[in-house]
Amino acid sequence: MAQQSAVTPETATAPATVTADATVAAADITVAADITTPAAALDAPTPADRAPTPGLPTSATSPATLPPSLRRCTDAERGSYRIVSATDTDATVRKHGESIIIGYNADVLATANFVRGIQANTGATPDGATVAPGIARHLEQFGFAPQRLVYDRAAGTPKHIADVRRTSDGQTQLVARQINYGQRHTRFAPTDFTLGSDALTCPNGVTTTRAYRAGGADGFDYRFLASECQGCPLWEQSRDPKSRPDSHRTVFISDYTLLYNAEIDYLATPAAQADFAFRANIERHIAGLTQHNGARYAKVIGLPKVNFQLTRAATAYNLKRWHVLTLQKERQGCKEKPPCPTSLYPPP
């Protein structure tokens, strides 16, 4: 287990006996599938006016509507969930670094010594999209959520922070290095503006209260008129070079700005550095799962069966780890004697 600022070794007890951990680490591994043969080888509350996310159809609504397995994918789905194998329709394209394979994306949730959760997803599933569902499964299975979840930069967005907090009922803090979207250009980013209770102030000190709900994102668009920016010494840093002199400047402020600012402040603390040092444990777990417990290549076809294979691999890994810790305790003179038969079965 890991405490708030220091990692404490877990005791050699059965993996099924668990307590509330302060910190867990999560990561994703890639499970490859050979799809050329029939036998595949192988981591803030939502605004009330947020637009609902359209879901995928689950059943045919009329004889003229094709079932999901036969219909053509939409433009939004194309490339992410396109069927690439007639043998294993659940295996999709997975790009990890320079390698592109057909397979699955498995998310792993673990403490210092044991794997707490593992789940197979289709290969095109982004790493960050697996974080909040992993916490939800942990909460459902164990009845509590970890105090902190340490992840890599793939989950470093305010939206993921809010999703984890919402899913865990406020119990879990997502610790991840944040993606700096302001590096895409040299202009001032939204983080360079100061947000007040009902107004937004630019780096030059000009304040605007013109805010409109963004249509395609969770947040508001604040508008600075061209008349307010005329003669500004920071004009070139605030405006797109291709913009017209009489155009306004729009700044998007996310609903999760306060969570983002709190995360940035926490990343500068020594506790955050201890959390990232703790996250190194997940690489050891992944190596054990993929190299010694058969979690690298899928031996079955279909998402449910691959998920079952990964669960068995994690179970075997936990049993081996539990046995190693038990032997370590015995070598240190902490061998526990078996219970006396008279205490288990007292005479009448």
Side-chain angles (χ1 to χ4, degrees):
M1 300 179 188
Q3 303 302 322
Q4 294 185 3
S5 58
V7 178
T8 305
E10 292 181 342
T11 57
T13 56
T17 303
V18 296
T19 57
D21 296 317
T23 308
V24 298
D28 292 85
I29 59 177
T30 299
V31 181
D34 181 3
I35 50 83
T36 59
T37 58
L42 282 290
D43 341 253
T46 304
D49 52 353
R50 175 181 176 182
T53 303
L56 299 179
T58 57
S59 62
T61 57
S62 65
T65 304
L66 293 176
S69 59
L70 298 179
R71 67 175 177 81
R72 290 185 177 274
C73 58
T74 63
D75 292 339
E77 300 165 2
R78 190 178 306 278
S80 297
Y81 298 99
R82 177 184 294 179
I83 296 177
V84 294
S85 169
T87 303
D88 191 351
T89 58
D90 290 337
T92 54
V93 175
R94 169 71 174 163
K95 183 176 181 181
H96 189 73
E98 298 297 330
S99 61
I100 299 177
I101 64 173
I102 308 300
Y104 298 87
N105 185 16
D107 62 278
V108 181
L109 190 70
T111 59
N113 286 305
F114 298 115
V115 174
R116 280 292 185 83
I118 189 168
Q119 180 72 24
N121 309 279
T122 186
T125 304
D127 292 349
T130 66
V131 181
I135 289 294
R137 291 190 299 269
H138 188 283
L139 181 61
E140 179 182 1
Q141 181 177 1
F142 296 103
F144 68 91
Q147 181 179 347
R148 290 191 300 278
L149 172 66
V150 188
Y151 209 87
D152 59 18
R153 200 180 295 269
T157 65
K159 180 66 166 55
H160 289 127
I161 297 175
D163 288 344
V164 169
R165 176 164 296 191
R166 185 186 309 111
T167 303
S168 64
D169 296 332
Q171 301 180 44
T172 303
Q173 173 191 357
L174 175 61
V175 181
R177 302 190 188 279
Q178 298 299 292
I179 301 174
N180 187 4
Y181 292 104
Q183 293 180 346
R184 296 178 177 179
H185 47 72
T186 58
R187 301 191 306 275
F188 287 124
T191 53
D192 297 317
F193 292 75
T194 304
L195 180 64
S197 58
D198 58 352
L200 186 69
T201 304
C202 75
N204 194 40
V206 178
T207 300
T208 182
T209 57
R210 302 178 187 87
Y212 309 91
R213 188 66 186 173
D218 299 337
F220 289 86
D221 288 328
Y222 285 82
R223 181 173 298 179
F224 292 88
L225 300 180
S227 58
E228 298 173 325
C229 300
Q230 291 295 336
C232 177
L234 304 177
W235 176 278
E236 295 182 356
Q237 296 174 266
S238 303
R239 300 275 181 153
D240 190 318
K242 298 180 181 180
S243 63
R244 298 180 303 178
D246 58 346
S247 64
H248 59 266
R249 164 71 194 268
T250 300
V251 180
F252 173 75
I253 300 298
S254 170
D255 291 331
Y256 317 114
T257 298
L258 297 180
L259 288 176
Y260 174 80
N261 294 337
E263 181 68 11
I264 292 297
D265 293 339
Y266 178 77
L267 292 179
T269 64
Q273 302 305 317
D275 289 339
F276 288 120
F278 171 82
R279 189 187 175 276
N281 289 290
I282 197 67
E283 303 300 335
R284 174 170 51 84
H285 295 318
I286 291 177
L289 288 169
T290 57
Q291 297 180 17
H292 305 292
N293 292 278
R296 173 63 73 188
Y297 298 100
K299 302 177 181 178
V300 290
I301 295 176
L303 195 58
K305 293 183 178 180
V306 173
N307 187 58
F308 180 68
Q309 176 188 337
L310 290 175
T311 303
R312 291 193 303 171
T315 303
Y317 176 83
N318 284 344
L319 289 174
K320 294 177 182 178
R321 188 60 185 163
W322 172 59
H323 180 62
V324 169
L325 294 177
T326 302
L327 293 179
Q328 290 178 355
K329 288 185 62 177
E330 292 179 356
R331 294 190 185 99
Q332 296 173 359
C334 300
K335 184 176 181 180
E336 298 179 359
K337 296 182 179 180
C340 179
T342 58
S343 63
L344 294 177
Y345 307 100

